[in-house]
Amino acid sequence: MDTLEVILSCFLVVLMVVSLLSNVLVLICFLYSAEIRKQVPGMFIINLTLSNLFMTVLNMPLTLVGIIGKGQPGVDTVCRIVGFLETFLVTNSMLSMAALSTDRWIAVVFPLSYNSRMRYKDAAIMLGYTWFHSLCFPVVAVCLSWVGYNHLYASCTLSQSPADDRVQFVIFTVAFHSLSFLLSLVVLCFTYLKVLKVARFHCKRIDVITMQTLVLLVDIHPSVRQRCLEEQKQRRQRATKKISTFIGTFILCFAPYVITRLVELSESIHINPYWGILSKCLAYSKAVSDPFVYSLLRHQYKKTWMDIINRLLKRSSLNTSAITGETPNIIVSGLLRLSSCNVTIIFPCIPTTRLEDIQPIKSLLVFRTIHYSIQGN
């Protein structure tokens, strides 16, 4: 093995270990938390997690053996089975991400009708279509003997033998990647850009209310005012960062491999085998990023695995906060509605950890209530 092969092998081993641990942790959190299991998106997440786990356990090790041994791992039958599963699992993962983005789009754009639009029955139908769509292409490929060991990627995947009709294989490959990668990418972009549009609209409304509130609260402590302005700035960037992460990781991981597969169809272009293996490893890296992007960095999953750790260590969550030195924020929020004068004052959430900062706000609320009541009478 030369230096590049050693580097690629080590990279693949790291991907296998991290993917296995992170996806198993997501699975444990799903099984442990009844709250997560009750949510409809949990069906899509568990489908994505299981696909990533099977990819990690079955496909990655054989690719590693192919890199090290520089040849087909196992007999033809085993390689065809693994190639069939690889085609199915990759498509299933892509469509699961598209289903998750559709769920988020419905939740954000149609929040009042979300429960009627996205029920367990609807999620089961979407998963059924995902599985049917994912099975169609590998079944066709197996029937036409287009699954086997591909030396360019050192893995068992879609592969054409010299005796096969090249035109049919080209049409099949283009259709496969168009209806898996391209279709999922279009759905991701459409849904998440709609979500981003709604998020920006609400951010503008909250910014206006925040600035009006800061003008009214003349006695507010300067530190609270500064934290409100910082939170306002972070709020504008939060949605953009999350959506950029969803779409960016999808493109970064899958696009090099898909483009390489399409370029491979041209007989006049020679592709470096090291690049082929690297593009395959990048596609595998999506199984590493998915648990963090969609699950483990969310508040519910953080709380769940911290509860699991506390239970194993027989420690309460309060002790955990004391050990880590975390101080819970005090959220001050108010909604004052005076029907006598038709005045509504909305005070957005103001995070603070100093009790003395709350007193001016409480005093001002009482003063405003009396003031507007007198004016109304």
Side-chain angles (χ1 to χ4, degrees):
M1 292 179 65
D2 56 20
T3 306
L4 289 177
E5 289 178 342
V6 172
I7 294 174
L8 290 172
S9 299
C10 294
F11 179 51
L12 187 55
V13 169
V14 172
L15 291 179
M16 289 170 55
V17 173
V18 178
S19 175
L20 183 63
L21 294 177
S22 57
N23 283 285
V24 166
L25 185 55
V26 173
L27 186 60
I28 292 173
C29 290
F30 182 84
L31 296 175
Y32 180 85
S33 175
E35 183 180 357
I36 295 176
R37 292 197 303 271
K38 289 179 182 177
Q39 297 176 350
V40 175
M43 297 179 63
F44 303 130
I45 291 177
I46 199 63
N47 185 56
L48 178 62
T49 301
L50 291 176
S51 296
N52 291 335
L53 275 176
F54 281 114
M55 182 78 69
T56 304
V57 174
L58 297 176
N59 295 94
M60 292 188 189
L62 286 184
T63 301
L64 179 62
V65 174
I67 296 173
I68 296 174
K70 298 181 179 180
Q72 176 177 318
V75 296
D76 291 340
T77 304
V78 174
C79 192
R80 287 173 183 170
I81 293 174
V82 173
F84 172 87
L85 290 175
E86 188 257 358
T87 307
F88 167 75
L89 293 173
V90 170
T91 309
N92 189 39
S93 298
M94 292 181 180
L95 296 178
S96 296
M97 295 174 221
L100 278 169
S101 68
T102 304
D103 174 82
R104 291 300 87 202
W105 171 60
I106 296 175
V108 173
V109 179
F110 309 101
L112 299 180
S113 59
Y114 173 77
N115 291 331
S116 61
R117 289 172 180 262
M118 187 58 69
R119 299 164 297 179
Y120 280 103
K121 179 182 177 181
D122 301 317
I125 293 174
M126 293 178 67
L127 282 181
Y129 171 76
T130 298
W131 277 61
F132 173 77
H133 188 131
S134 303
L135 281 171
C136 288
F137 287 99
V139 168
V140 172
V142 168
C143 292
L144 296 176
S145 300
W146 287 341
V147 177
Y149 182 76
N150 194 318
H151 292 273
L152 180 61
Y153 308 101
S155 60
C156 298
T157 181
L158 293 177
S159 179
Q160 181 195 19
S161 62
D164 295 333
D165 187 352
R166 183 171 182 79
V167 176
Q168 289 184 356
F169 183 76
V170 169
I171 295 174
F172 173 82
T173 304
V174 173
F176 168 63
H177 291 297
S178 298
L179 295 176
S180 56
F181 171 77
L182 186 59
L183 176 63
S184 301
L185 180 60
V186 170
V187 174
L188 285 172
C189 292
F190 173 80
T191 53
Y192 281 132
L193 290 179
K194 290 289 185 181
V195 170
L196 181 60
K197 182 179 179 180
V198 174
R200 286 179 173 176
F201 172 74
H202 286 295
C203 280
K204 290 180 180 179
R205 295 182 60 185
I206 295 173
D207 290 345
V208 172
I209 296 173
T210 302
M211 297 308 298
Q212 291 175 350
T213 305
L214 292 178
V215 172
L216 289 174
L217 300 179
V218 293
D219 297 330
I220 194 172
H221 194 279
S223 63
V224 179
R225 182 184 298 272
Q226 183 62 31
R227 293 193 64 179
C228 284
L229 295 175
E230 292 177 358
E231 177 66 22
Q232 180 180 357
K233 185 184 299 184
Q234 293 175 2
R235 193 186 302 117
R236 297 171 187 162
Q237 303 172 353
R238 194 174 300 135
T240 304
K241 287 181 179 178
K242 287 184 178 180
I243 291 174
S244 298
T245 301
F246 292 144
I247 299 177
T249 54
F250 184 87
I251 295 175
L252 181 63
C253 294
F254 286 127
Y257 177 69
V258 173
I259 293 173
T260 305
R261 294 302 311 235
L262 295 177
V263 173
E264 180 191 2
L265 299 175
S266 175
E267 296 179 341
S268 60
I269 300 177
H270 174 73
I271 300 175
N272 191 312
Y274 295 122
W275 169 251
I277 297 173
L278 178 60
S279 65
K280 190 68 177 179
C281 291
L282 288 176
Y284 285 149
S285 67
K286 195 69 175 73
V288 177
S289 64
D290 285 343
F292 299 97
V293 171
Y294 292 99
S295 305
L296 296 179
L297 297 182
R298 291 175 54 195
H299 174 72
Q300 276 187 326
Y301 283 85
K302 285 182 181 180
K303 182 178 179 297
T304 301
W305 57 260
M306 285 304 298
D307 289 343
I308 295 174
I309 293 175
N310 292 332
R311 188 172 182 177
L312 292 175
L313 299 178
K314 297 180 179 179
R315 187 171 71 201
S316 65
S317 58
L318 183 61
N319 292 335
T320 304
S321 299
I323 291 173
T324 57
E326 296 178 355
T327 304
N329 285 345
I330 300 172
I331 306 298
V332 181
S333 61
L335 176 61
L336 179 60
R337 186 179 298 275
L338 303 176
S339 58
S340 59
C341 55
N342 295 325
V343 176
T344 303
I345 306 175
I346 301 175
F347 296 92
C349 293
I350 303 175
T352 177
T353 56
R354 297 178 56 180
L355 293 175
E356 59 268 22
D357 293 340
I358 303 176
Q359 190 60 39
I361 301 175
K362 292 172 62 180
S363 303
L364 185 60
L365 285 174
V366 174
F367 171 76
R368 297 290 182 188
T369 304
I370 297 173
H371 176 68
Y372 285 121
S373 297
I374 293 174
Q375 282 188 345
N377 294 329

